Amino acid sequence: MKRVGKQTWVFDDGVYIQAAAAVVGPLEADGPLGSYFDICHRDLYCGEATWELAERRLMREAVDCCLQKAGVSAEEVDLFLAGDLLNQNATSNYVARELPIPFLCLFGACSTSMQTLAAAAALIAGGLADRALAATSSHNATAERQFRYPTELGVQKPKTATFTVTGAGAALVGRAPGRWRVRAATIGKVVDAGLKNPLDMGAAMAPAAADTIEQHFRDLGASPGDYDLIVTGDLSRVGSVIVRELLAESGYDVTDVYNDCGLMIYRPDQKVLAGGSGCACSAVVTYGYLLQELARGTFRRLFVVATGALLSQTMVQQKQSIPAIAHGVVIEADGQEPG
Amino acid sequence: MEYVRAFLAGGVLCAIAQLVIDRGKWTPADVAGSLVVLGVLLGFGGVYDRLAAWAGAGATMPLSGFGYWLAKGVMAEPRPEGLIETGAAVFRFAGALFAFIVAGSFAAALICKPKG
Amino acid sequence: MGLKSDYLREVKAFQPSPSYAANAVKAFLVGGTLCALAQWLSDWYGGVFAASPLAAQLWASIVMAGLAIFVTAVGKYDDFSQFAGAGATMLIMGLANALASAAIEHRSEGWTAGVAGQMFKAGGASVIYGLIAAYVLGLVWP
């Protein structure tokens, strides 16, 4: 492992994703990627009594499913890294309570999927763990009631608003060769463009995403053509156009290789306004769809840039602007079959 | 035709509120609060009495109508005097609506879970 | 000129603006229809129970508020409002929805801290402003 440039870690000794799992709610299961997810819940409550318990169940199932696919027991995992959107990272803490694994709790809002994956890869590469589990979750109703309004309140949301994805993703990272190789990670800086509207997070996060992607190219001397796909986490219809424009102004034309998880997870006719968002958005698209397509050979090398709006309800009410961050991880298909 | 008048008055009030919300400076909660206060002011001025006589439910159903009920409680004869009578008079008509909504909401919460 | 030079200004070109006309028309049609329905209820009540116009109007508002609470409880008022906008939220039905939705949402935190304690978190502002305005004006109005 070494640092290249200012913000990019390159894992040249071999860090692999050995297994990954994605669990989703009803609307995501009904979307175009429905068949890629491991567990699809037909009920938004996932059989639990409250929204928060439902989200906890999503993450727990993603963790269990991931470990089962890897054929590894929880005791054999050296480190658990997780985060979510609830205050105090409640979902992650309560899931970790049930696991016999040392736990690092991380918060990066919707960038948590790649934040945990990058941190896990670095700890593995540094020899501090042999196997680490990275997980994240979000739930439409828990996010809605914490950040916005009661779920049944009649509010006409603007076209720029996004729809929090209900789901959870988990990935087991380790030294032993697996189907996917974590090649590099670029850790983003907090970028605050000065926007204040919590119902337009795509525009608030796009500068952070562009910053991380540009830094990645600069650090590695890479260009958009080096990737089969560059995906952002949840910039949605609004932010995905802005990030392309920002990158074009810096001389990087990503049009042919760019997509956004928030646009991939739902059909255009599903009522999700500008598209999907939330920690689970990039997590389930990456750990469900993208990894399977990498294994299938559709892509060889991906750059997943998970974007997070680091917004706090209290700060928004105090008229503070919304800080944003983006972390990117390069994932490659590895020729070797899992051992 | 009274239904047409109710339709027009209620519809216009809602459309104006919609335009104010879409302009983006005020949140829906700001607009709702302003409508209620507007209803109170016009209720005291006597304007809302005339509007209610013309438009019927087209004037009393919008949130400004809630403000009107509040004002009407104070303005209706016999006029209240002093802190105690005025405080009670505010709820003379609005109280019927208010108590029903509070009790009805609690009852709904007794029976139903949020559907998401 | 570009996004990088003045993001706050240039980004406006990328943010879709509301469909002012369509939203206003929907609010007009839905709000107007609900008011006409309330007028019909009021007339019916006034006719059958020989109630005063004032009592009939109040009764109609209560029935419509009850309808809003019911639609909220079955989970459809949020979808209805996304379509109708102010036509659904700026009526007394919207106030009923605000209280009912908060009450239902917080039943997971118990009856006192949840349902009763949080009931006014969305609709409280309009009740409080109206109450203060009517009370203060009532004290000073000649």
Side-chain angles (χ1 to χ4, degrees), chain A residues 50-51 145 150-157 159-160 193-195 200 203 206-207 214 238 241-242 245-246 249-250 273, chain C residues 2-4 7-8 11 14-19 23 72 75 78 81-83 85 89 97-98 101-102 105-106 108-109 122:
Chain A
T50 71
W51 300 129
R145 75 192 294 232
T151 51
E152 303 300 343
L153 181 67
V155 180
Q156 193 177 40
K157 291 192 181 151
K159 293 175 200 164
T160 52
L195 292 177
D200 184 7
E214 279 173 39
V238 178
V241 183
I242 299 173
E245 186 67 24
L246 282 168
E249 283 182 16
S250 304
L273 301 161
Chain C
L3 276 170
K4 294 209 169 203
Y7 188 75
L8 278 181
V11 77
F14 294 87
Q15 294 167 312
S17 52
S19 314
N23 285 354
T72 305
D78 50 343
S81 302
Q82 181 64 37
F83 170 79
T89 56
N97 164 253
S101 65
E105 187 63 59
H106 288 282
S108 49
E109 282 76 53

Side-chain angles (χ1 to χ4, degrees), chain C residues 24 39-40 46 59 64 77 89 93 95 98 106 114 122 126 132 137:
Chain C
Q39 182 62 41
W40 179 79
W59 183 84
M64 295 298 278
Y77 208 91
T89 56
M93 299 176 79
L95 180 64
H106 288 282
S126 16
I132 293 171
L137 271 176

Side-chain angles (χ1 to χ4, degrees), chain A residues 7 12 20 48 50 64 78-79 115 134 138-139 145-146 158 161 166 178 198 211 215 218 265 278 313-314 319 335 338:
Chain A
Q7 290 167 230
D12 36 19
E48 299 285 345
T50 71
D64 288 347
D78 303 316
L79 203 55
Q115 183 190 25
S138 60
H139 189 292
R145 75 192 294 232
Q146 177 180 303
T166 300
D211 187 77
Q215 188 67 43
R218 267 203 302 279
I265 189 164
Q313 179 73 330
T314 309
K319 306 275 187 277

Side-chain angles (χ1 to χ4, degrees), chain C residues 17-33:
Chain C
S17 52
S19 314
Y20 294 100
N23 285 354
V25 167
K26 283 190 283 188
F28 175 75
L29 292 177
V30 175
T33 305

Side-chain angles (χ1 to χ4, degrees), chain A residues 103-178:
Chain A
F103 174 52
L104 277 177
C105 194
L106 301 177
F107 180 81
C110 313
S111 71
T112 309
S113 58
M114 291 304 117
Q115 183 190 25
T116 51
L117 184 63
L123 291 167
I124 302 268
L128 302 177
D130 291 323
R131 285 195 194 95
L133 188 63
T136 187
S137 68
S138 60
H139 189 292
N140 184 269
T142 61
E144 210 47 46
R145 75 192 294 232
Q146 177 180 303
F147 289 103
R148 299 182 190 106
Y149 313 103
T151 51
E152 303 300 343
L153 181 67
V155 180
Q156 193 177 40
K157 291 192 181 151
K159 293 175 200 164
T160 52
T162 50
F163 188 89
T164 307
V165 169
T166 300
L172 185 71
V173 190
R175 277 220 166 278

Side-chain angles (χ1 to χ4, degrees), chain A residues 22-51:
Chain A
V23 182
V24 296
L27 209 63
E28 294 72 23
D30 190 33
L33 306 183
S35 60
Y36 288 92
F37 302 129
D38 298 290
I39 301 172
C40 295
H41 284 279
R42 288 290 147 205
D43 165 27
L44 202 53
Y45 277 102
C46 310
E48 299 285 345
T50 71
W51 300 129

Side-chain angles (χ1 to χ4, degrees), chain A residues 187-256:
Chain A
I187 305 301
K189 299 191 292 274
V190 174
V191 175
D192 190 333
L195 292 177
K196 294 181 178 174
N197 183 1
L199 292 175
D200 184 7
M201 296 199 292
M205 294 189 291
D211 187 77
T212 299
I213 295 171
E214 279 173 39
Q215 188 67 43
H216 179 81
F217 290 156
R218 267 203 302 279
D219 285 348
L220 293 181
S223 68
D226 296 335
Y227 302 92
D228 298 315
L229 188 65
I230 297 172
V231 282
T232 47
D234 54 356
L235 294 182
S236 77
R237 238 173 286 294
V238 178
S240 59
V241 183
I242 299 173
V243 79
R244 273 201 301 258
E245 186 67 24
L246 282 168
L247 289 169
E249 283 182 16
S250 304
Y252 298 108
D253 180 9
V254 296
T255 314
D256 296 335

